[in-house]
Amino acid sequence: MKKSKASTTFTGNEIAIVGSSIRLPNGCDNLDDYWRVLVNGEDLITEVSSERWNVDAYYYPERDIPGKAYTKAAGQLDNIWDFDASFFNISPREAAQLDPQQRLLLELSWEAFENAGVIPSTVRGSDANVFIGISSIDYGNTKISDLASGNSFFMLGTTMSIASNRLSYFYDLHGSSLSVDTACSSSLYALDLACQKIRLGESDMAICGGVSVLLTPYPFVGFSQANMLSEDGRCMAFDSRGNGYVRSEGGGILVLKRLSKALEDGNPIHAIVAGVGTNADGRTNGISLPSSDRQEELLRKVYKSANIPPEDVTYLEAHGTGTIVGDAAEVGAIGRFFGPHRDKELLIGSAKSNAGHLEAGSGMAGLIKATLVVKNGIIPKSLHVQKQRDDIPFDEYRIKVATETTSVENRDNPIVVGVNSFGFGGANGHAILKEYQLDTKVTALPLHKTAKGGAGHLPPLLLSARSEISLAKLAEKYLTYLENVSSTKQYVEIASAAVHYRESFENRLAVTGKNLGDIKSSLTAYLDEASPYQTALTGQADPDPKPITFVFNGNGAQYPGMAKDLIVEDPTFKLWITKIDTLIQEKAGWSIIESIEKADSEEISDTMIAQPLIMAIQIALVEYLASFGVHPTVSLGHSVGEIAAAYSAGILSLDQAVDVILKRSNAQGKTRGVGTMAAMEVKVEEAKTL
């Protein structure tokens, strides 16, 4: 059967994933870490730390022992307690009552905004929606044994509804704010709700995510009693040895925008959400037993609604828990829907084989893995598959577990990836992600410029943070990142993004240099407080933006070659100098640019040359700064500077400003050697003509 040509036409009403962030066990703290883990086939599962609870007191290595769990295996975050409360305007007293899940969501949402190139303060007061998948109440349960430890913030810190509300409150978002609990499919349900809001036109943007943290032994005991956990402590999805799942913790956040709005704002397009849907199993042989038929029904509904043929799907990120009943039901649904339409096997896999089962957050791990597959064109291998299950007819279904990392073939067609997620109470979810692919690639971010540091210098690296400690940590991260940067072009993009796509805070750091080596050396010296070679500039800015005033000087500041380098180095400055030069040549018959390039001290001391020259450079500088988004609240001028100030304030047009300066300089030029009274008479007569 011939593979159809996937559509590359977008209507502008599709939903784009513009930002994402993730936190997984064993030091997997960001998207780069996650992709490395997936491609290298790393296993993040360890055991529950004794710092969480007395693990041995609740453990016994046999099934069906009342009050005991038969496994210690788990995926565990390195540190769930350290939290920069002041960054999120939270007092220490309130922070102490805050569920680590809420803390994690705050951190992940900020990182996702930065990944999207969205400055958080710019969405303040918007109708953006927040939907968060969350089901764990572990933190609240830990407080039950010591109710006196709770204060007025206790309920805010432990209630699941506040997990989503906390984000809406902090970012001042006015759209819907909802915490979703459908167990393991919570994140896909959150995605479905977020996409509905955008498609209905209620908002152009939404935050959706999922999170889970393991803080008490009770769910371990409960799921052990239900025989759902793996004795081997691994999710061996689709393998003949699969005997349950391993619990894990972490979370992820996606920032979604209407595609047309994302393109207008210049956000990166990681993937398109081509379709998403949910349903429920209804009555099965048991509430925790899945319905393969209902899962198949959901696939048919979602792909029909998205108008995507089954044969166009490149890869399917399965739920893949490694349970005997769950894996069989899922592969059956996938095979019955996709198999009849395909000549080539459909590769499937599961991120749970790397990171374990994040339960309410698991859908985010799958979605973000799918996004990375779409972005990189590589399908990572699924771990712990020695032999595919004999009782599942993989060959008949034309399905194969991805046991090797492979590159996607036929890149002429957009990559399409499906994502499954099922709740153990029968709530099912499926999403389709599609590569954003056009004949003409849209630049990921607008090409904002960053100021040059002067002739022979790179643009400065400008960093800011809420505290000096955080600023040092940020500088350390940038230094590590720059170690892998070799080209000036890459550095300029990084320096520009640091200015235009990160929030500005009061503690500031500016690093300049002639080359990358200088920048790195300056950062290294800044981090080493004992170093005598401190070249970085540090200080504090007022947290509340203050009005900007432009003050324009009068005659006497000119010198030969003034602005000559800037004409060469900056196209915006050159454009405006050229505009003014054209007007002056038309009206006065001489060239500003020629005077900048060739005039000596005597020539530029001539009033008839100096005054238009000063004004031209001042106006070009106004437009040069405007190209960086720098606009004055007030413009003041002295003498000749009054004309540039009037232009800056919008009182004079460019043509009017040129007329005024030519008449003014001509009038003053005629008074050389004339007595004071005569000079005044000449000025009066000239002024009458203006």
Side-chain angles (χ1 to χ4, degrees):
M1 189 172 295
K2 186 177 179 181
K3 181 177 171 68
S4 67
K5 174 68 175 177
S7 172
T8 58
T9 302
F10 294 93
T11 65
N13 196 41
E14 290 84 4
I15 295 166
I17 297 174
V18 299
S20 63
S21 61
I22 196 158
R23 199 75 55 81
L24 292 173
N26 213 6
C28 183
D29 292 337
N30 54 55
L31 297 171
D32 290 339
D33 288 346
Y34 190 28
W35 186 240
R36 185 203 70 238
V37 164
L38 292 169
V39 172
N40 294 343
E42 297 177 23
D43 187 338
L44 302 179
I45 302 303
T46 53
E47 289 189 348
V48 177
S49 168
S50 59
E51 294 179 356
R52 298 292 178 94
W53 61 81
N54 186 345
V55 179
D56 290 333
Y58 295 92
Y59 170 73
Y60 194 82
E62 291 183 14
R63 292 178 182 263
D64 302 323
I65 305 299
K68 301 292 183 180
Y70 52 78
T71 179
K72 298 180 183 180
Q76 194 168 333
L77 297 176
D78 285 350
N79 189 340
I80 60 170
W81 301 113
D82 285 352
F83 177 62
D84 191 354
S86 63
F87 181 90
F88 296 103
N89 302 322
I90 296 172
S91 69
R93 189 164 178 263
E94 181 176 4
Q97 302 295 326
L98 214 61
D99 188 330
Q101 293 179 121
Q102 292 189 27
R103 306 177 192 184
L104 194 56
L105 288 169
L106 284 168
E107 293 171 347
L108 286 169
S109 60
W110 189 275
E111 292 167 11
F113 273 133
E114 288 198 338
N115 181 255
V118 174
I119 298 175
S121 62
T122 63
V123 300
R124 191 177 298 149
S126 72
D127 56 2
N129 301 285
V130 178
F131 297 99
I132 297 298
I134 182 171
S135 61
S136 172
I137 56 173
D138 280 13
Y139 189 67
N141 287 339
T142 64
K143 294 289 186 179
I144 292 175
S145 60
D146 185 12
L147 292 178
S149 67
N151 60 27
S152 58
F153 298 107
F154 169 62
M155 293 307 297
L156 288 170
T158 58
T159 306
M160 286 196 297
S161 62
I162 302 300
S164 52
N165 301 161
R166 179 79 63 180
L167 300 186
S168 299
Y169 172 80
F170 177 69
Y171 296 109
D172 191 18
L173 306 179
H174 299 174
S176 298
S177 185
L178 179 67
S179 296
V180 183
D181 181 8
T182 59
C184 313
S185 59
S186 298
S187 294
L188 264 291
Y189 266 73
L191 177 69
D192 188 26
L193 291 168
C195 289
Q196 285 183 41
K197 287 291 184 179
I198 294 175
R199 289 197 175 107
L200 288 171
E202 295 184 19
S203 174
D204 287 328
M205 188 177 80
I207 299 170
C208 75
V211 67
S212 183
V213 172
L214 313 177
L215 293 174
T216 73
Y218 310 130
F220 280 84
V221 173
F223 288 124
S224 289
Q225 297 302 307
N227 291 313
M228 291 184 178
L229 301 184
S230 168
E231 289 177 295
D232 299 296
R234 296 296 184 275
C235 291
M236 295 181 283
F238 316 118
D239 185 77
S240 59
R241 298 166 300 144
N243 56 4
Y245 79 90
V246 57
R247 301 189 74 211
S248 189
E249 63 185 8
I253 291 283
L254 298 178
V255 178
L256 308 173
K257 272 192 178 183
R258 189 184 309 279
L259 176 60
S260 56
K261 180 62 174 172
L263 293 174
E264 178 186 330
D265 294 342
N267 301 117
I269 312 297
H270 298 310
I272 300 296
V273 182
V276 59
T278 57
N279 75 357
D281 288 341
R283 186 179 293 276
T284 60
N285 290 333
I287 192 170
S288 65
L289 296 177
S291 168
S292 184
D293 291 339
R294 297 292 79 74
Q295 292 179 16
E296 180 188 352
E297 184 180 275
L298 177 62
L299 291 173
R300 295 188 184 281
K301 180 181 78 170
V302 173
Y303 282 87
K304 181 179 180 180
S305 177
N307 194 29
I308 292 180
E311 60 267 29
D312 284 351
V313 176
T314 312
Y315 166 74
L316 195 141
E317 173 63 17
H319 189 59
T321 57
T323 59
I324 295 174
V325 176
D327 282 5
E330 181 175 16
V331 176
I334 295 169
R336 291 192 301 274
F337 174 65
F338 287 99
H341 302 280
R342 301 181 68 89
D343 291 330
K344 187 176 181 181
E345 293 171 317
L346 173 63
L347 291 177
I348 67 173
S350 174
K352 294 178 183 66
S353 66
N354 303 90
H357 190 352
L358 273 66
E359 297 170 350
S362 64
M364 276 297 123
L367 282 166
I368 293 172
K369 176 183 174 181
T371 302
L372 293 170
V373 171
V374 166
K375 179 180 177 181
N376 295 299
I378 295 174
I379 299 171
K381 63 182 178 181
S382 201
L383 305 186
H384 313 307
V385 181
Q386 293 182 2
K387 183 176 184 252
Q388 293 183 165
R389 283 174 54 173
D390 292 330
D391 61 328
I392 299 176
F394 286 97
D395 293 339
E396 179 185 331
Y397 288 151
R398 294 186 178 87
I399 293 173
K400 182 180 179 182
V401 181
T403 55
E404 298 293 335
T405 297
T406 58
S407 296
V408 174
E409 299 176 358
N410 190 14
R411 291 304 304 274
D412 292 336
N413 291 328
I415 297 173
V416 179
V417 177
V419 183
N420 266 345
S421 192
F422 308 128
F424 82 126
N428 307 316
H430 187 83
I432 309 168
L433 303 189
K434 184 176 181 180
E435 180 183 11
Y436 179 66
Q437 186 185 78
L438 292 178
D439 293 335
T440 303
K441 289 287 186 181
V442 177
T443 303
L445 294 172
L447 292 178
H448 283 301
K449 293 181 294 183
T450 202
K452 298 179 183 299
H457 278 66
L458 290 178
L461 179 63
L462 305 173
L463 305 178
S464 69
R466 289 289 299 271
S467 68
E468 292 183 7
I469 293 175
S470 297
L471 186 61
K473 289 288 186 183
L474 183 64
E476 187 176 352
K477 287 185 176 181
Y478 268 86
L479 180 59
T480 301
Y481 188 63
L482 289 174
E483 291 300 331
N484 298 317
V485 173
S486 56
S487 72
T488 300
K489 182 177 182 295
Q490 281 181 291
Y491 168 75
V492 171
E493 291 175 351
I494 293 167
S496 179
V499 173
H500 296 289
Y501 299 105
R502 298 191 78 253
E503 196 75 66
S504 294
F505 297 109
E506 53 269 35
N507 289 277
R508 305 287 176 91
L509 170 67
V511 181
T512 60
K514 293 183 178 180
N515 51 52
L516 269 172
D518 288 350
I519 299 291
K520 295 174 186 176
S521 296
S522 186
L523 278 173
T524 301
Y526 162 72
L527 292 169
D528 180 8
E529 296 180 0
S531 172
Y533 305 106
Q534 292 289 346
T535 55
L537 300 175
T538 59
Q540 284 195 326
D542 195 307
D544 298 319
K546 293 294 187 288
I548 296 173
T549 299
F550 284 0
V551 180
F552 299 88
N553 61 277
N555 202 8
Q558 70 275 16
Y559 58 88
M562 181 169 62
K564 185 176 180 179
D565 290 339
L566 198 52
I567 291 175
V568 175
E569 294 176 358
D570 189 83
T572 301
F573 186 84
K574 181 179 180 180
L575 171 68
W576 284 91
I577 281 288
T578 302
K579 284 184 178 182
I580 299 168
D581 183 69
T582 300
L583 288 172
I584 288 179
Q585 287 197 55
E586 290 174 357
K587 297 173 184 290
W590 59 279
S591 170
I592 283 284
I593 293 177
E594 186 176 331
S595 296
I596 290 173
E597 293 177 345
K598 299 179 180 179
D600 55 25
S601 299
E602 184 176 349
E603 288 177 290
I604 64 169
S605 65
D606 185 340
T607 301
M608 298 180 69
I609 299 294
Q611 292 189 12
L613 182 64
I614 292 169
M615 187 209 73
I617 291 172
Q618 289 174 337
I619 289 177
L621 283 172
V622 167
E623 299 297 344
Y624 169 74
L625 292 170
S627 71
F628 299 121
V630 180
H631 303 280
T633 304
V634 176
S635 295
L636 304 174
H638 164 67
S639 185
V640 178
E642 294 174 13
I643 301 168
Y647 171 84
S648 176
I651 296 170
L652 293 178
S653 67
L654 184 63
D655 190 72
Q656 290 171 331
V658 170
D659 280 340
V660 171
I661 195 63
L662 289 176
K663 290 187 178 295
R664 185 185 195 282
S665 61
N666 187 50
Q668 288 196 334
K670 289 180 180 179
T671 66
R672 285 188 176 184
V674 181
T676 303
M677 289 302 296
M680 290 178 63
E681 290 173 3
V682 170
K683 290 180 181 178
V684 169
E685 290 302 315
E686 289 289 347
K688 290 179 181 178
T689 65
L690 297 180

